């Protein structure tokens, strides 16, 4: 058990399945209060029902109003944010020969734009938290610039 995770507050996008769900479940095992996001309430509810430390917000992370809704929920419920895990994502499974620009745009909107959008909105709470130690994302660093 990691005592430095006890009572932290985390957002885990894509937390209703796959890697995101695994991260959310492990966090609750470590005493973290977790808010998961996803587009399908039935999946989110199942995860939350199975783990007392998990709350959820139905949200499409490609919609700016939904990322704002997630941050507002965390602020109202917990008053702070310590950990942000951007795990929602998609990848076109067809070859480039069969791919359309719409396929690419869907992936880019979720895998890049949504990460940046949520992080920008969540960053004031993370920076204000005396307990914040963890921010994850594959696109940026908190201390400056874009990471490659």
């Amino acid at each position: 058990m990691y005592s430095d995770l006890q009572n932290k507050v985390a957002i885990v996008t894509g937390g209703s399945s796959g890697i995101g769900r695994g991260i959310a479940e492990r966090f609750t095992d470590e005493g973290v209060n977790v808010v998961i996001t996803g587009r399908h309430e039935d999946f989110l509810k199942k995860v939350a029902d199975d783990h007392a430390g998990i709350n959820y917000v139905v949200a499409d992370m490609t919609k700016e109003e939904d990322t704002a809704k997630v941050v507002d929920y965390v602020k109202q419920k917990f008053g702070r944010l310590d950990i942000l895990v951007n795990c929602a994502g998609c990848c076109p499974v067809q070859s480039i020969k069969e791919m359309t620009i719409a396929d690419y745009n869907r992936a880019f909107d979720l895998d890049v734009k949504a990460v940046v959008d949520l992080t920008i909105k969540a960053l004031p709470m993370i920076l204000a938290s005396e307990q914040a130690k963890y921010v994850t994302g594959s696109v940026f660093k908190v201390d400056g610039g874009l990471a490659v």
Side-chain angles (χ1 to χ4, degrees), residues 12-132:
V12 179
T13 67
S16 64
S17 64
I19 295 169
R21 180 177 178 163
I23 291 169
E25 290 171 344
R26 179 59 195 257
F27 274 167
T28 60
D29 292 344
E30 299 297 332
V32 178
N33 297 298
V34 180
V35 176
I36 59 173
T37 71
R39 294 174 294 144
H40 304 287
E41 185 166 20
D42 50 339
F43 296 141
L44 293 164
K45 184 173 179 351
K46 168 109 176 75
V47 176
D49 287 348
D50 291 346
H51 299 86
I54 295 181
N55 299 274
Y56 69 88
V57 177
V58 178
D60 178 343
M61 301 313 293
T62 66
K63 296 181 179 176
E64 290 185 40
E65 60 273 16
D66 283 6
T67 57
K69 178 173 70 170
V70 171
V71 171
D72 290 343
Y73 176 86
V74 170
K75 189 172 195 172
Q76 292 299 315
K77 183 152 182 81
F78 298 104
R80 70 173 210 278
L81 178 63
D82 306 304
I83 303 166
L84 174 59
V85 179
N86 288 294
C87 204
C90 68
C91 179
V93 294
Q94 68 270 39
S95 72
I96 192 78
K97 186 170 85 174
E98 299 164 340
M99 186 183 301
T100 67
I101 197 65
D103 297 326
Y104 171 81
N105 285 338
R106 267 190 301 280
F108 187 85
D109 287 349
L110 184 56
D111 297 345
V112 179
K113 285 173 55 179
V115 170
V116 173
D117 181 39
L118 180 61
T119 302
I120 287 169
K121 288 179 172 110
L123 196 55
M125 269 200 305
I126 292 170
L127 293 175
S129 173
E130 295 177 9
Q131 298 186 42

